Amino acid sequence: MDKNAILDRAKEYITKETNPLFSAEVEKLLTAGDFTELEDRFYRNLEFGTGGLRGVIGGGYNRMNTLVVKSATQGLAGYLLKAVPGKAAAGTLKAVIAYDSRHYSAEFAEASALIFAANGIKAYLFSSLRPTPELSFAIRYLGCDTGIVVTASHNPPQYNGYKAYWNDGSQVIPPHDQGIIDEVNAVTEIKEISQDEALRRGFLEIIDREVDEPYQSMVKSRLFRPDLIKAKAGEVKIVYTPLHGTGAKHVEKVLGDLGLKVITVPEQREGNGDFPTVAFPNPEEAAALDMAIQLGKKEKADVVMATDPDADRFGIAVPDKDRGRKAYTLLTGNQLGALLADYIFLSLNELGKMPAKPVMVNTIVTTGMQKRVAASYGVECIECLTGFKWIADVMRRYEQDGSGKTFVFGTEESYGFLVETEVRDKDGVSAAALTAEMTLYWRSLGKSLLNRLDELYRKNGYWQELGISKYFPGPEGPAIMKGIMDTYRSNPPAILGGIKVTGVRDLARGSGELPASDVLQFFLEDGTVVSARPSGTEPKIKFYATCCADVGKGGLQAAREEAARKLEAIKGDINRVIGN
C-alpha cells in the first residue's frame, strides 16, 4: 500500500473513531510524520479471524480500539440477524458479553453490548470482570444466541482481543466463522444506541450473581469425592494466583466452599491490565508463577495454582523432594492433562459411573501419552485441530449423531482442560477444583502428584514435549511465515534431529475427520511427532514436538535423558530454518 493510501486511511480513521484517545494517537503520528508507525497501523485491517480479534491496543485499523470493536460487533450482529431469521423477526435474539482485566476491556465490552442493543438484540453485560468459561456457561444458561468475551488471554499488556461464541457456548467454527468474517468485512454503517435508551427499552441487562452462583454450583457438582474433601480438606494447603486477572472471585469461592485453605498471592489478586508483577501473565511460563512459588515455599503449600487473565488456562507447581526441600516443579499442560485424565477415568470406574462409550478429546499437538492413559481405561481418544473450539465441535457431534459416545474429558497441551459439558471452552476454575480433589485423593493413598506421574510414565513410557515460537511482526510477517510453511511443504525434511521422517500429514485440505488447516505434521521413525502451524491470533509460527522414550531397564532418568537429546536435536534443525 503506497504512502498516500496509508495517509488517507489514517485521516479517514480519525473521522470515524469516537474515542478521543485513539484518534489523538493517530493525529499525533500524522503531525510528526511518523510514516513507519502509520504504515504498521494502517497497511491492513486487524483481521477478524476464525476466533475473533486480537492485537495491540491503539488507534488505527490494524489495532484494537473502539472503532474496530464496534465494526466487528456490527458484523456479528448482522450475521446473527440473517442466520436466525425467525428469532430476528420475533425480536427474541440474545447475546451475552464478558470481559477481563485488560486495558479498555470494560469499554470494549460496553460498546459491543450497545451495538447488539441498537440492532434489536438483547444484550446481557456482566457488571465486572468475569472468566471466559463463565461466558461460555452463561450463553447456555441464559439461552443466548451468541456471546463475546473481551480478552487477549495470556498475551502481554499491550494486547487486547475479542472472542466470538455461538449458541452452544463454543467459539464459532465453519460455516459461522466465515459468515461472520464476511459480514464484518462488509460493514459500512454501525448502528448505535445510548446506554440509557438500551436499558429503558429492555435491550440491555446488567448481570452478575444470577449467573455466578449457578456457575459455581455447577463446578462443585462435577467433583467425584465431596465426602473425601469434607473429611480431609484441612490436609492440603493451596497457594493461588490469578495473575492480575479474573480468576480470584470463583477459585476462592469454590475452593473455600469446599473447606480447602486457599492463600491467594496478595500482589496479584486484583485485576490489573498492566500485569505489574509478571512479564507474561501466562501460567505456562515458569517466571509467571515465581511469586506464587515463593509464597508456596513460605506457607509449605502442597500445590501452587495459577490461572491466566481470563481464567481459561490453568497451571500448577508442586513440591519436588528430589530437587530439594523447598523446590517446586511446574507441570506442563501435557503432564497435568495426563494426571487429570487418569484421575477422571479411575474415578468413573471406581464409582461405577463410566459411560458405555466414553470419549476423551485432545488436539493433534497434545502428548501421545494421554492416548495410552485413555486406552488403559478403555476410553477412546479422539484427536482434533488445535483450539478448544474443535474439542467443543466433537462434543456437539457426539451429542447429535446417535453414536452413543459420551464426552468425559477434553484437554490441550497449552494448559487447557474441560471436565464438564455445561461449558464449551477450557475452564481453569473447574480444573482448579478437580486438581485440588485429585491432590487430596493421592495424598490419602500416601502419594504426591509427582509420584503418580512417575507411575504413569513407567506404565506408558516417558513422554516429553518441545514448543518453539517465532514472531514475525510487521507488514512482511505473514509472507515470511507463508514462506516457511511453503518450504516445508515443497521440500519436507527426510530427517529431523537425526531421526528418519517416515510420514508427512498436510492438513491444508483436511484429512479424515479433521477440517482444513494450515498445519504440517512429520512422523518420525521412533514415534516422535513434529507439528508446524502459524498462530491464528498472533504474528508467529509455532512448532511442537512430542516424543517417547522407553523406561525399560534404564529407568526414568535414562528415559528423560534420551528424550531430551532427541528434542534438542530436533530443536536445532527447526531453528536453522526459522532463524532462531
Side-chain angles (χ1 to χ4, degrees), residues 372 460-464 526-528 546-550 559 562-563 566:
R372 292 191 184 181
N460 300 288
Y462 177 75
W463 292 78
Q464 189 169 326
D526 70 334
T528 296
T546 175
C547 75
C548 178
D550 185 17
E562 179 187 347
K566 290 180 181 180

Side-chain angles (χ1 to χ4, degrees), residues 489-503:
R489 284 193 166 96
S490 61
N491 188 25
I495 293 175
L496 275 171
I499 307 168
K500 184 179 179 181
V501 177
T502 57

Side-chain angles (χ1 to χ4, degrees), residues 32 47 71 74 211 247 259 307 310 315 317 338 345 353 374 440 498 519 534 552 555 567:
E47 182 179 358
S71 296
Q74 180 62 54
V211 178
T307 50
D310 65 324
F345 306 152
K353 295 181 178 180
L440 259 177
V519 178
L567 291 175

Side-chain angles (χ1 to χ4, degrees), residues 479-507:
I480 295 173
M481 290 191 291
K482 182 178 184 301
I484 291 171
M485 294 298 288
D486 287 347
T487 297
Y488 274 116
R489 284 193 166 96
S490 61
N491 188 25
I495 293 175
L496 275 171
I499 307 168
K500 184 179 179 181
V501 177
T502 57
V504 179
R505 177 162 67 171
D506 186 351
L507 295 178

Side-chain angles (χ1 to χ4, degrees), residues 288-301:
L289 270 72
D290 184 65
M291 188 171 285
I293 288 173
Q294 295 309 313
L295 182 58
K297 291 176 180 179
K298 178 182 176 182
E299 297 289 345
K300 298 180 180 179

Side-chain angles (χ1 to χ4, degrees), residues 43-75:
Y43 80 93
R44 66 166 190 167
N45 290 346
L46 185 64
E47 182 179 358
F48 192 102
T50 55
L53 297 165
R54 189 175 298 179
V56 174
I57 301 166
Y61 291 135
N62 189 32
R63 292 289 187 270
M64 278 294 296
N65 51 61
T66 314
L67 177 61
V68 168
V69 167
K70 286 181 177 180
S71 296
T73 309
Q74 180 62 54

Side-chain angles (χ1 to χ4, degrees), residues 390-404:
W390 298 112
I391 293 176
D393 183 46
V394 176
M395 296 170 67
R396 181 191 309 110
R397 191 189 321 152
Y398 289 145
E399 288 172 346
Q400 298 173 352
D401 66 6
S403 65

